[in-house]
Amino acid sequence: MADTEPVPDEMPAAVLTGFGGPEVLELRRVPLPVPAEGEVLVRVAAAAVNNTDVWTRQGAYGLPGRPDALAGWRGPVDFPRIQGGDIAGTVARVGEGVGAEWTGRRVLVDPAIYDGPSGDANPVGLLGSERDGGFAEYVVVRGERIHDMDESPLTDEELACLPVAYGTATGMLERGGIVADETVLVTGASGGVGLAAVQLATARGARVVALTAPGKDQLLLEAGASAVVHRHSDSAVVSAAVSEAAPSGLDAVIDVVGGPLLPVLLTHVTDGGRWVIAGGIGGPEIDFDLRRLYLHNISLIGSSMHTPAQFARLAEDAVAGRVRPRIASRYGLSAIHDAQEAFTRSKHIGKIVLTPS
Ligand SMILES: NC(=O)c1ccc[n+]([C@@H]2O[C@H](COP(=O)([O-])OP(=O)(O)OC[C@H]3O[C@@H](n4cnc5c(N)ncnc54)[C@H](OP(=O)(O)O)[C@@H]3O)[C@@H](O)[C@H]2O)c1
């Protein structure tokens, strides 16, 4: 290991000890991780909170055929596990085989663990779930997963907002083939992934219809949405509002909500349209009319995170300053429980960020 800046022997970390309530997330001092060959040690400057942290703690992902089973997004989680998939920081040390020039550089970490080395590999793991993450003072990551941010105009806190939410949104837009002049409906539009999708689809020149709870219109219009439609328990009310906002129909839906509205919204998708689904916060199990898909050549596209190439595109956007995430609030690492509670109250707009140091 190349010797660089002095590092402590141990560090504070938010450690998940099992599935359960806030009490299973413990603040502890743990030994400093050591980078092996091909890895780097990153001093975490900022780490953002995501829905996946909460669902992983709760074991809320279920298993195939057993929706109520306690499980992480890939099934079992190997406890104890340090949470946190959104990491921006500085390389403190490099392991064998990683260039010494990385030391001291500001980096954005791609939190995905892939099933192969190619640019279009599939994500099959996530820092904070299948490997220790960034809710700690330091984290060890693979050298090929760090992206140089020395030239980025974004702050460390802004960078930390990007990997999971903007990475997932980038993956959805890429898999859905969203291009300029298309009309795209984004659900959960004020949430982490949704707001990222509104901004990124707008940056591509798409016309965005944002579906959200009442009271968030101004934020979504500022983020680039052309029209805002409110969630409502009566799906006919939502359907009428979508008709008004997009009279020629929807070329695509970027959806993290699913639930009972999906079959209704599907009737607004034009022939050859795409439905990209990356979450089921409004209900993961639904009924819909298959004829709506095949008679209209609509593609239903499952989307999990991003590929290495898609993340590299996001990193380029960050260096060029083409994305500017919104920070809702900041907490110290010791206030992780308050941060997750604030996240689950869902009153925030933008990302909740932890500063471990
Ligand atoms: N597949 C992947 O790779 C991936 C990656 C990240 C996240 N996800 C999933 O995507 C979903 C959103 O994640 P996130 O981090 O963006 O979460 P988030 O920040 O909590 O945002 C979720 C948004 O969905 C809306 N919402 C919440 N409860 C709802 C309900 N019962 N019915 C309808 N809408 C509701 C709210 O937005 P409005 O008020 O604007 O409607 C909320 O802000 C989660 O299910 C998460 O697990 C998937």
Side-chain angles (χ1 to χ4, degrees):
M1 192 169 75
D3 222 6
T4 51
E5 68 170 53
V7 290
D9 294 332
E10 53 176 40
M11 63 176 188
V15 180
L16 202 57
T17 56
F19 294 128
E23 71 287 350
V24 298
L25 186 59
E26 292 182 9
L27 281 160
R28 291 183 183 170
R29 291 197 71 78
V30 300
L32 198 79
V34 178
E37 187 174 346
E39 296 180 334
V40 299
L41 178 71
V42 174
R43 180 159 39 79
V44 180
V49 177
N50 287 290
N51 192 68
T52 189
D53 308 318
V54 178
W55 277 29
T56 300
R57 168 171 61 70
Q58 295 169 338
Y61 285 97
L63 291 170
R66 292 169 54 205
D68 296 330
L70 292 180
W73 76 289
R74 298 293 299 183
V77 173
D78 196 8
F79 300 113
R81 173 65 70 227
I82 299 173
Q83 288 210 287
D86 271 342
I87 303 160
T90 305
V91 176
R93 291 194 170 185
V94 299
E96 289 295 337
V98 181
E101 70 277 9
W102 278 102
T103 304
R105 280 204 195 152
R106 204 160 77 103
V107 292
L108 181 67
V109 177
D110 177 353
I113 300 162
Y114 296 102
D115 64 357
S118 76
D120 61 358
N122 291 301
V124 291
L126 175 68
L127 297 187
S129 178
E130 282 64 48
R131 228 187 120 133
D132 282 340
F135 291 171
E137 205 172 347
Y138 290 84
V139 62
V140 163
V141 301
R142 294 292 309 164
E144 61 272 21
R145 297 290 156 250
I146 53 175
H147 294 261
D148 187 352
M149 290 295 132
D150 274 349
E151 303 295 320
S152 172
L154 275 65
T155 65
D156 291 336
E157 293 177 0
E158 288 171 331
L159 288 173
C161 299
L162 297 179
V164 174
Y166 285 72
T168 300
T170 299
M172 295 177 83
L173 299 183
E174 287 285 304
R175 293 183 180 109
I178 307 301
V179 293
D181 299 327
E182 289 194 308
T183 300
V184 178
L185 182 131
V186 176
T187 68
S190 72
V193 180
L195 192 57
V198 170
Q199 291 178 346
L200 293 169
T202 301
R204 287 178 182 221
R207 181 178 175 275
V208 174
V209 178
L211 180 58
T212 187
K216 303 173 179 176
D217 299 29
Q218 189 55 34
L219 158 88
L220 289 159
L221 294 170
E222 282 168 15
S226 302
V228 177
V229 169
H230 292 155
R231 287 199 255 147
H232 195 282
S233 53
D234 183 348
S235 55
V237 172
V238 180
S239 186
V242 172
S243 293
E244 196 175 320
S248 302
L250 303 169
D251 297 299
V253 177
I254 297 296
D255 188 14
V256 292
V257 171
L261 263 184
L262 193 156
V264 179
L265 293 176
L266 198 55
T267 63
H268 292 270
V269 179
T270 54
D271 283 32
R274 293 88 69 204
W275 192 287
V276 190
I277 182 96
I281 204 159
E285 295 187 50
I286 57 155
D287 284 322
F288 70 94
D289 188 340
L290 284 171
R291 292 170 294 186
R292 189 68 218 164
L293 279 188
Y294 69 78
L295 292 176
H296 299 275
N297 291 304
I298 295 170
S299 302
L300 184 59
I301 302 168
S303 187
S304 204
M305 298 173 65
H306 49 261
T307 64
Q310 290 161 356
F311 195 89
R313 178 171 178 169
L314 175 63
E316 281 170 20
D317 286 342
V319 171
R322 282 191 288 268
V323 282
R324 207 87 212 202
R326 179 189 167 104
I327 294 171
S329 52
R330 299 167 174 81
Y331 293 80
L333 180 63
S334 57
I336 175 83
H337 296 98
D338 295 338
Q340 284 199 354
E341 195 203 317
F343 186 90
T344 50
R345 273 201 305 273
S346 203
K347 297 282 181 237
H348 62 286
I349 295 175
K351 299 290 293 178
I352 294 176
V353 179
L354 294 172
T355 45
S357 299

